[in-house]
Amino acid sequence: MTKKGRIFKTIRSYFGKHPSGIFAWLWVTVVPFVGSAVFAVNYHLVGQFELQTGLDYFAYTVIGALLMGLALLPTTLIALASGFYYGWVSLPFLILGYSLASVLGYVLGKVSNMGLTEKLFRKNPKFHAALESRKEKEGSLVFFVRISPVVPFAVSNFLFANLNIKLWKVLVYGIPGMLTRTVIAFAAGVAASSYMEAKQSMNSPLQWGVGIALLVIGIGGIYNYVKKSRK
């Protein structure tokens, strides 16, 4: 059996005994799409919440962290709505909420798949050795995964947790990687005259061009990491 075959066999064996792990992965993959559909018909409710006092900003940060960390809404959608309804003053609190969501998602990834990494490493020592030999490259992997529009935020949290990447690396390298996509969506919201206009602007040729550029950069960075690991 090939190395990849042994890895997938170990994963299937683990999830066969831990169905909650499968549920967790399905949750972070599917629920953001469901949340987006629900938000699409209820976005006007956001406008009823104003940022005036310190308590308002605290609530905004915590609610945002929970929505992103629990994979209830995509980060880009929250950035877009925040830019339109609250303007640039809310950006630092959005970034803070994003950081807290990274911690929450990472911890949930660890808890929901407890023992998976250890079993993978025990059954596949070469895979473990390959990851250990590239510990110093983990920061670049985190950055390029975050900057890529293909890998959802919640899924990447689980991925980093199960690869045993240190949480501080996820924060230090992940926040700069995510900022590009976040600021672009946030700025689109600030510039729009209505929320629907802001959402439609995300499908403009310019946005598609930026998205494709980020995709190429992200895939290139991830490929370079994998290539170096193989060497």
Side-chain angles (χ1 to χ4, degrees):
M1 185 180 293
T2 64
K3 183 170 69 173
K4 289 182 180 179
R6 287 193 298 271
I7 292 173
F8 284 119
K9 182 180 179 180
T10 304
I11 293 174
R12 285 197 303 269
S13 173
Y14 174 85
F15 285 136
K17 299 177 181 177
H18 302 83
S20 60
I22 299 179
F23 176 79
W25 278 98
L26 287 174
W27 178 279
V28 298
T29 304
V30 176
V31 170
F33 293 100
V34 177
S36 297
V38 173
F39 187 81
V41 296
N42 294 284
Y43 66 86
H44 59 279
L45 297 177
V46 179
Q48 299 178 14
F49 181 79
E50 298 181 353
L51 296 180
Q52 295 181 339
T53 67
L55 185 59
D56 293 335
Y57 284 99
F58 175 78
Y60 166 81
T61 304
V62 172
I63 292 172
L66 291 174
L67 290 174
M68 293 184 284
L70 297 176
L72 298 176
L73 283 176
T75 55
T76 303
L77 188 60
I78 292 178
L80 184 71
S82 296
F84 174 70
Y85 285 106
Y86 306 124
W88 290 107
V89 68
S90 65
L91 182 59
F93 299 93
L94 175 64
I95 296 173
L96 177 58
Y98 165 79
S99 303
L100 296 174
S102 296
V103 175
L104 176 58
Y106 182 93
V107 171
L108 290 176
K110 280 285 189 184
V111 172
S112 61
N113 295 279
M114 191 173 295
L116 173 59
T117 305
E118 291 72 16
K119 186 173 184 178
L120 270 176
F121 289 169
R122 186 172 62 253
K123 297 285 187 179
N124 304 274
K126 291 184 178 180
F127 175 63
H128 184 200
L131 290 180
E132 287 296 316
S133 67
R134 286 302 173 212
K135 279 288 184 182
E136 71 278 6
K137 302 294 183 182
E138 288 177 341
S140 65
L141 176 65
V142 172
F143 177 82
F144 287 114
V145 167
R146 286 297 204 210
I147 204 173
S148 171
V150 172
V151 185
F153 171 75
V155 172
S156 64
N157 284 331
F158 271 45
L159 177 65
F160 299 146
N162 285 278
L163 287 177
N164 267 0
I165 297 176
K166 298 296 184 183
L167 179 56
W168 71 265
K169 290 185 179 180
V170 175
L171 294 173
V172 170
Y173 295 97
I175 292 175
M178 196 71 181
L179 267 180
T180 305
R181 292 159 52 190
T182 300
V183 171
I184 290 173
F186 193 93
V190 171
S193 58
S194 70
Y195 174 76
M196 292 308 297
E197 179 187 324
K199 192 173 182 181
Q200 290 170 2
S201 71
M202 296 301 292
N203 293 318
S204 68
L206 176 61
Q207 292 287 352
W208 274 99
V210 173
I212 291 173
L214 293 178
L215 176 62
V216 171
I217 293 171
I219 292 177
I222 295 170
Y223 173 78
N224 190 45
Y225 171 85
V226 173
K227 187 178 179 181
K228 287 181 178 179
S229 295
R230 285 178 178 173
K231 288 182 180 180

